[in-house]
Amino acid sequence: MNNGQTPLTMQEAILTLQKYWSDNGCMITQPLNTEVGAGTANPSTALRVIGPEPWSVAYVEPSVRPDDSRYGENPNRLQTHTQFQVILKPDPGNPQELYLGSLQALGIDLDAHDVRFVEDNWASPALGAWGLGWEVWLDGMEITQFTYFQQVGGVTLAPVSVEITYGLERILMNLQGVDHFKDIAYAPGITYGEVFGQSEYEWSRHYLDDADVDTHRRLFEEYASEARRMLDLELPIPAYTYVLKCSHTFNVLDARGALSTTERAKAFSLMRGLTHESAKLWGQRRAALEHPLGTAAVPAPAVRAELPNVPGTERLLFEIGVEELPYADVVATTDAVREAVTAKLSATRLAHGPVTAMATPRRIVVTVEAVEPREPDTVRTVRGPKTAAAYRDGAPTPALLGFARSQGVDPADLQVLDVDGVDYIALTREAPGRTAVEVLSELLAEVVAELRAGRNMRWNDPTLSFSRPVRWLLALLGNTPLPVAVSSLASGTTTRVHRTAAEPVVPVASAEGYAHFLKMHNILLDRDERRAAVVRGAHEAAAEVGGRVDVAGEAGLIDEITDIVEYPRPVRGSFDESYLDLPSGILTTVMRKHQRYLPVLDADGRLLPHFLTFANGTCDDDVVRAGNEAVLRARYEDAAFFWRADLKVAPEEFRGRLDKLTFEERLGTVADRADRIAALAAELAGRTSLAPETLATVRRAGELAKFDLASQMVVEFSSLAGVMAEEYALRAGESAEVARALAEMELPRSSGGALPATDAGVLLSLADRFDLVTGMFVIGAAPTGSSDPYGVRRAAIGLLNVLRSAPAVAGLRVRDGLRAAADRYAAQGVEVPAERLAEAAELITRRYEQQLTDAGHEHRLVQAVLPWADRPAHGDRTLAALERHLGTEGFDALTTALQRVLRILPKTPAAEPADRSLLTAPAELRLAEATAAARASLTGREDDLDALVAVSAPLVPAIDTFFEEVLVMDPDPTIRAARLALLDDVAALARTTLNWSAL
């Protein structure tokens, strides 16, 4: 066995984990005797987590994933890898600490290594299962999936189970310091490659090249039929086992590229339905057996300690301790808790000073300055019925008696209250102020109970629900412990610092100086201070190798790093310069997206062979550096594998494979979407006056639209869509213009992202976004609240940004783009309700309105130009003209005159044409002449506000004189109609420029 110096063999690691978890209450079972994609699918997990029975188990599970076949060549990808699966049911309350203990048992020095829990929200559609938790990173390498199961087989779980899934090959590669799975020492003198290398190659051949498609189609149907038959016989375990056989057969067909979009959707639906039925039947069978293993205990409600006496003005310190929050929840929860405490305090009479909230991934801390010892006393008056209704013939009426009863007093204790000359029966009571301790104890319990995030989970607590488990509460009022009890949690006077600290739980004596106290334990509570430490550390580490970090360009990633660590420690790593032969976009995407590394650049912005990572607290820099370098090397090997494989495939062939990718079940495949984009881009191009060569570029790029989505690189790194299209197109001999247009089709990637710079890219970008927005509205998948899974709002903002910035398409109308996109769907056989297009146009209008408002434009001016949301570039020009003219004497006079005209006109136009020959008064003729002259001058410029202002000098006095000398609403209806028709001519000049009524 391991002597503490020599790394464990894989065999020893398995035995060590079995002993560790057995010692911690788990039963050791065996792997399933049929293929599964993960240990999760084993019935010891997938079925046993259902129902109230306790179940703690650990087992090795060979996990078969045909799509990961690499013939044994890739150092990290295997079609069969080894998982070690642990289920803790119910959640024991300290699963993270138990897990870290298992890493120590394996010989991992937690003081030297950087072990982190990184957000991962897990879901398995085929199993109808989901949960929240983390990937566990060891020096940047994902070694474990750690999940609180919330639902399996469509069944909501109570109690919640904790799943811990170790990736043994990755852990052993790190422990043994080897770069390829084949080199892992499996047992003394025997390598992993010697044990499994031949199997890995042969099964890869089978899955990728030789598996007979017809045979596997037949097997799938037969397995599904047998699962159905077992369900009919009420045998959930055999039924579920045959679902697993279906799943593996499906995966083989998928690896062979043999499944169409329709077949995939149908197969998923079938497997999901069979799994749900198996799970439900399992639960029923266990209930019928009266749950032989008993029922898991539920934690008892916490009992609040006796409230102390705090006589003076003190500072409040309240800390909510959590397991690692998703980075996006750190800021959101900080704001939510600050607002909740502030609002709840304002609803009391307790005087206090400023409320401050700060957070790290593991704690939300609220301080309230100068909290007074108690609320002031007050007098409270409750009004009852009118005196006239309170007595009848001198005796109390039911109304009075009911009021007295509701207040718990005798009718004789009630008084008469005069309110604005009306007498009411009333009760006046003294309301003594509560102590600060009483107010805060109840208030803070409410804050914890009401915690919510974008996605919430349950754990072993009977009532709480939040983004991640709440594990401790710290509450002090000055130096005095403040009792707070909520659900099963009771506050204390300790906090938890780094889990690797010599004393991970430390006492806190006072509410004063808490941020400094945490800093002494290597925790930076202030987010601004943490971010500054990240930026400072990045600058210093990059400068040591003559490089720099693009802080502005990497602002989003720096924000994320800030909120995934409590004490950022920069560690610089390097990679082999040969990888710089790959496109830099691939290298930096791998760094940012998968590893949260900051790229190091030279003075000209070129990538250097270095990167920066940030450990959480103290560590051995050399150990962490080596681990992260190995992870990046493996990632780059994957990328190089995909790069080489993709270059062997022509763009046209990739384009042909898009029919195997689903866009949305009701809207067809990605190939259907690409066809629509190509046709729509060509139609939009026809509405412009672009040069023939640009139109040719649009046509050719449209023929290849989205082809890179079928490439291995983009399947693995989806954010490289467009980037890889340009790279692969250039290497396939396409023109630089076509390649650039394919890349710019994906722009902008965010609301403030880079925009397409070429006219061909502009048209493809618009076609892409018009297709997405229209399609989602057509099928009723419009964004609602915070839910926008298809990024419709982002697409709407993107098309607005393109329309506003690209002169070549400034004349395109939003409604024309939506209508053209809808026509493509209609041609595909998709029903397009007209009201859905109106809703899509309204979404885009509201986005345009928000953009102008966020830019600081005055609300009424935004409303005035909002009719131009359909042509946002023109709206921008009109708004600029409006802001130039606003406040000038001539424009103000024009505005007043036109608004006077618009106010008097009826909302609906006259049904019959007016007899304009009746207009004979001098003021009438003068206005008609001025209107005709203005109309003539505006020919071809009817929507130009500057032009209207320029020709309005004769018009304004003519309008004023008309209203002074003419009675518009003449008693004679024919004369009245003629005068209103003349004013309507004037209004027509205004309606095409602005919503004047908004001014």
Side-chain angles (χ1 to χ4, degrees):
M1 294 295 292
N2 190 307
N3 60 12
Q5 301 296 321
T6 304
L8 296 175
T9 64
M10 188 159 180
Q11 175 177 275
E12 289 170 335
I14 291 171
L15 293 171
T16 298
L17 288 174
Q18 287 178 331
K19 182 177 188 311
Y20 178 86
W21 285 109
S22 177
D23 291 346
N24 280 281
C26 286
M27 177 175 66
I28 306 301
T29 64
Q30 301 307 309
L32 192 62
N33 59 351
T34 194
E35 296 96 337
V36 294
T40 304
N42 188 311
S44 284
T45 293
L47 296 183
R48 284 288 185 176
V49 297
I50 296 168
E53 296 172 276
W55 180 257
S56 291
V57 67
Y59 54 90
V60 175
E61 190 67 66
S63 301
V64 184
R65 298 179 181 177
D67 200 44
D68 279 345
S69 297
R70 294 292 186 273
Y71 307 100
E73 297 172 1
N74 188 283
N76 291 289
R77 295 274 185 138
L78 300 92
Q79 56 80 30
T80 300
H81 65 282
T82 312
Q83 294 184 344
F84 190 88
Q85 177 84 354
V86 177
I87 290 295
L88 304 175
K89 177 189 179 188
D91 158 27
N94 63 337
Q96 288 182 310
E97 287 71 21
L98 287 172
Y99 168 74
L100 292 173
S102 75
L103 295 187
Q104 288 178 306
L106 289 172
I108 295 173
D109 183 351
L110 299 183
D111 291 325
H113 290 275
D114 178 36
V115 179
R116 265 189 280 165
F117 293 84
V118 180
E119 172 193 6
D120 185 63
N121 298 328
W122 175 85
S124 171
L127 287 177
W130 70 275
L132 302 186
W134 308 270
E135 298 172 354
V136 183
W137 286 10
L138 174 65
D139 302 329
M141 175 181 285
E142 180 192 350
I143 60 168
T144 304
Q145 188 82 31
F146 194 114
T147 306
Y148 289 88
F149 277 143
Q150 304 295 301
Q151 191 177 76
V152 170
V155 177
T156 299
L157 303 183
V160 166
S161 297
V162 178
E163 179 201 46
I164 303 172
T165 305
Y166 300 76
L168 290 183
E169 286 86 358
R170 292 186 174 191
I171 293 173
L172 268 297
M173 286 174 67
N174 184 290
L175 281 174
Q176 296 179 10
V178 298
D179 295 332
H180 200 293
F181 72 84
K182 289 182 179 180
D183 300 324
I184 294 171
Y186 195 89
I190 302 176
T191 66
Y192 191 103
E194 289 166 337
V195 178
F196 297 114
Q198 181 179 350
S199 173
E200 191 65 28
Y201 171 77
E202 292 186 6
W203 278 113
S204 293
R205 276 279 309 271
H206 173 75
Y207 293 140
L208 298 180
D209 306 314
D210 301 323
D212 184 74
V213 171
D214 290 338
T215 297
H216 282 78
R217 289 187 190 277
R218 186 171 63 254
L219 286 172
F220 183 89
E221 296 300 330
E222 290 177 356
Y223 290 149
S225 176
E226 188 67 359
R228 175 77 270 159
R229 196 170 71 85
M230 292 300 99
L231 286 169
D232 293 341
L233 294 173
E234 297 186 348
L235 299 174
I237 297 174
Y240 177 68
T241 301
Y242 276 102
V243 176
L244 293 178
K245 292 178 182 294
C246 279
S247 178
H248 177 66
T249 307
F250 171 90
N251 290 336
V252 174
L253 290 168
D254 196 31
R256 294 283 285 125
L259 294 172
S260 69
T261 299
T262 303
E263 288 172 323
R264 287 175 63 86
K266 182 179 177 182
F268 265 119
S269 177
L270 175 62
M271 290 187 290
R272 184 165 50 247
L274 292 171
T275 302
H276 284 199
E277 290 188 59
S278 301
K280 184 177 179 182
L281 183 57
W282 165 267
Q284 292 170 350
R285 293 298 297 273
R286 298 303 290 179
L289 293 170
E290 298 182 345
H291 300 122
L293 296 178
T295 300
V298 177
V303 177
R304 188 176 72 178
E306 183 178 347
L307 296 179
N309 177 41
V310 180
T313 300
E314 300 286 0
R315 169 187 283 185
L316 168 69
L317 167 64
F318 184 57
E319 178 178 85
I320 304 169
V322 295
E323 293 177 357
E324 279 79 352
L325 291 173
Y327 78 91
D329 287 344
V330 174
V331 172
T333 303
T334 305
D335 295 340
V337 169
R338 180 194 307 107
E339 291 167 7
V341 171
T342 301
K344 290 179 182 295
L345 279 172
S346 68
T348 73
R349 302 193 304 275
L350 186 63
H352 61 85
V355 177
T356 303
M358 291 185 282
T360 75
R362 289 191 68 203
R363 68 200 71 239
I364 305 103
V365 177
V366 179
T367 57
V368 183
E369 304 297 331
V371 178
E372 292 295 325
R374 64 180 305 116
E375 295 176 314
D377 298 337
T378 189
V379 175
R380 181 169 172 262
T381 299
V382 183
R383 193 170 73 182
K386 292 180 180 179
T387 304
Y391 298 95
R392 183 175 295 113
D393 299 329
T397 64
L400 184 143
L401 295 174
F403 175 66
R405 189 166 51 251
S406 70
Q407 299 300 314
V409 299
D410 189 276
D413 295 329
L414 301 173
Q415 303 97 32
V416 175
L417 177 69
D418 181 294
V419 180
D420 297 329
V422 179
D423 288 341
Y424 290 85
I425 297 299
L427 175 67
T428 300
R429 276 191 174 128
E430 287 189 2
R434 297 174 296 167
T435 66
V437 170
E438 183 180 358
V439 171
L440 294 172
S441 178
E442 295 177 4
L443 181 154
L444 296 174
E446 291 176 3
V447 170
V448 177
E450 294 168 6
L451 279 174
R452 292 296 181 272
R455 293 195 70 182
N456 298 290
M457 58 169 280
R458 295 168 297 109
W459 55 99
N460 67 344
D461 190 278
T463 63
L464 297 181
S465 176
F466 186 47
S467 172
R468 293 298 184 273
V470 179
R471 293 301 189 189
W472 80 90
L473 301 174
L474 163 67
L476 291 167
L477 192 55
N479 299 334
T480 304
L482 173 66
V484 178
V486 54
S487 195
S488 64
L489 283 174
S491 63
T493 58
T494 61
T495 189
R496 302 185 190 183
V497 293
H498 291 287
R499 296 186 183 93
T500 55
E503 296 292 336
V505 178
V506 295
V508 181
S510 172
E512 299 295 328
Y514 189 57
H516 178 72
F517 173 88
L518 289 176
K519 187 181 292 188
M520 299 300 292
H521 291 276
N522 290 329
I523 294 169
L524 297 181
L525 179 59
D526 188 315
R527 185 178 188 276
D528 291 340
E529 188 176 355
R530 282 201 312 280
R531 194 180 195 282
V534 172
V535 172
R536 183 173 59 254
H539 281 315
E540 292 172 356
E544 291 172 358
V545 290
R548 64 181 183 85
V549 171
D550 180 6
V551 171
E554 303 292 354
L557 179 55
I558 290 172
D559 285 340
E560 184 173 348
I561 293 169
T562 300
D563 290 323
I564 61 175
V565 294
E566 291 198 297
Y567 194 84
R569 179 183 180 90
V571 176
R572 187 188 67 253
S574 302
F575 57 88
D576 194 295
E577 292 190 24
S578 64
Y579 291 119
L580 292 174
D581 292 338
L582 292 171
S584 62
I586 297 175
L587 302 179
T588 56
T589 294
V590 170
M591 286 189 200
R592 297 185 187 104
K593 190 74 173 177
H594 288 264
Q595 299 301 138
R596 280 80 164 179
Y597 296 162
L598 289 171
V600 179
L601 310 177
D602 67 13
D604 296 323
R606 290 187 298 266
L607 185 64
L608 293 174
H610 305 286
F611 65 91
L612 299 176
T613 186
F614 285 82
N616 185 31
T618 57
C619 62
D620 184 320
D621 289 358
D622 291 336
V623 169
V624 174
R625 178 183 299 108
N628 280 278
E629 287 177 344
V631 173
L632 190 61
R633 181 167 57 250
R635 290 283 191 187
Y636 282 172
E637 279 300 309
D638 263 356
F641 175 87
F642 299 141
W643 171 253
R644 291 190 296 268
D646 287 344
L647 287 178
K648 297 175 183 177
V649 182
E652 290 86 354
E653 184 176 343
F654 277 135
R655 180 66 169 76
R657 296 178 185 178
L658 294 182
D659 62 1
K660 288 184 168 59
L661 302 178
T662 305
F663 170 51
E664 203 286 334
E665 187 175 352
R666 291 160 289 182
L667 300 178
T669 66
V670 176
D672 294 327
R673 173 159 152 75
D675 289 341
R676 291 193 301 267
I677 290 171
L680 182 54
E683 179 170 340
L684 296 178
R687 297 170 184 256
T688 68
S689 56
L690 294 175
E693 54 269 25
T694 301
L695 300 180
T697 298
V698 171
R699 283 194 297 274
R700 178 55 184 163
E703 292 169 0
L704 298 176
K706 302 289 182 182
F707 82 85
D708 59 326
L709 298 188
S711 68
Q712 293 189 49
M713 187 74 76
V714 175
V715 168
E716 182 71 13
F717 306 114
S718 59
S719 62
L720 286 174
V723 175
M724 300 318 303
E726 182 172 23
E727 295 286 351
Y728 293 151
L730 285 171
R731 282 162 178 78
E734 298 292 337
S735 70
E737 292 76 17
V738 167
R740 184 90 284 264
L742 287 166
E744 291 183 342
M745 183 191 311
E746 305 299 330
L747 302 181
R749 297 180 185 274
S750 62
S751 59
L755 297 172
T758 68
D759 291 339
V762 162
L763 288 162
L764 287 160
S765 170
L766 288 175
D768 186 334
R769 283 147 188 80
F770 274 125
D771 178 79
L772 177 64
V773 172
T774 304
M776 291 305 118
F777 271 92
V778 162
I779 62 172
T784 57
S786 61
S787 175
D788 188 11
Y790 290 95
V792 176
R793 290 191 188 94
R794 184 172 65 249
I797 292 170
L799 70 85
L800 279 169
N801 288 347
V802 173
L803 288 171
R804 294 177 68 185
S805 66
V809 294
L812 290 179
R813 295 181 180 274
V814 167
R815 64 172 177 265
D816 291 341
L818 295 172
R819 182 69 261 170
D823 290 343
R824 299 288 170 275
Y825 282 110
Q828 193 178 308
V830 178
E831 183 182 354
V832 182
E835 62 272 16
R836 295 287 170 79
L837 291 187
E839 292 167 4
E842 179 63 17
L843 171 77
I844 293 168
T845 297
R846 297 280 75 84
R847 293 298 99 189
Y848 182 56
E849 177 183 23
Q850 189 64 50
Q851 286 183 332
L852 296 181
T853 301
D854 290 346
H857 297 289
E858 190 180 341
H859 175 74
R860 66 188 181 113
L861 306 188
V862 172
Q863 298 306 306
V865 302
L866 205 54
W868 291 115
D870 195 44
R871 281 174 55 200
H874 184 73
D876 292 347
R877 290 194 297 273
T878 302
L879 179 57
L882 177 57
E883 290 176 333
R884 282 198 310 275
H885 293 298
L886 196 68
T888 64
E889 183 178 350
F891 186 78
D892 288 349
L894 175 64
T895 301
T896 301
L898 291 176
Q899 287 179 334
R900 193 173 183 185
V901 170
L902 293 167
R903 278 196 300 270
I904 202 170
L905 288 172
K907 295 188 183 300
T908 56
E912 300 293 333
D915 182 0
R916 295 173 183 266
S917 66
L918 299 175
L919 300 174
T920 58
E924 294 171 334
L925 296 174
R926 190 178 308 116
L927 180 57
E929 182 181 346
T931 302
R935 186 188 305 113
S937 298
L938 292 173
T939 300
R941 299 185 298 163
E942 289 84 359
D943 56 6
D944 189 332
L945 180 61
D946 280 327
L948 176 62
V949 173
V951 303
S952 66
L955 188 62
V956 171
I959 294 172
D960 293 341
T961 301
F962 178 83
F963 278 110
E964 291 168 3
E965 298 182 4
V966 173
L967 177 62
V968 178
M969 308 306 285
D970 193 277
D972 185 333
T974 58
I975 296 176
R976 182 169 67 247
R979 290 171 177 169
L980 287 172
L982 175 58
L983 291 178
D984 193 60
D985 291 342
V986 177
L989 301 175
R991 292 191 187 107
T992 57
T993 52
L994 284 179
N995 172 16
W996 293 87
S997 61
L999 299 177

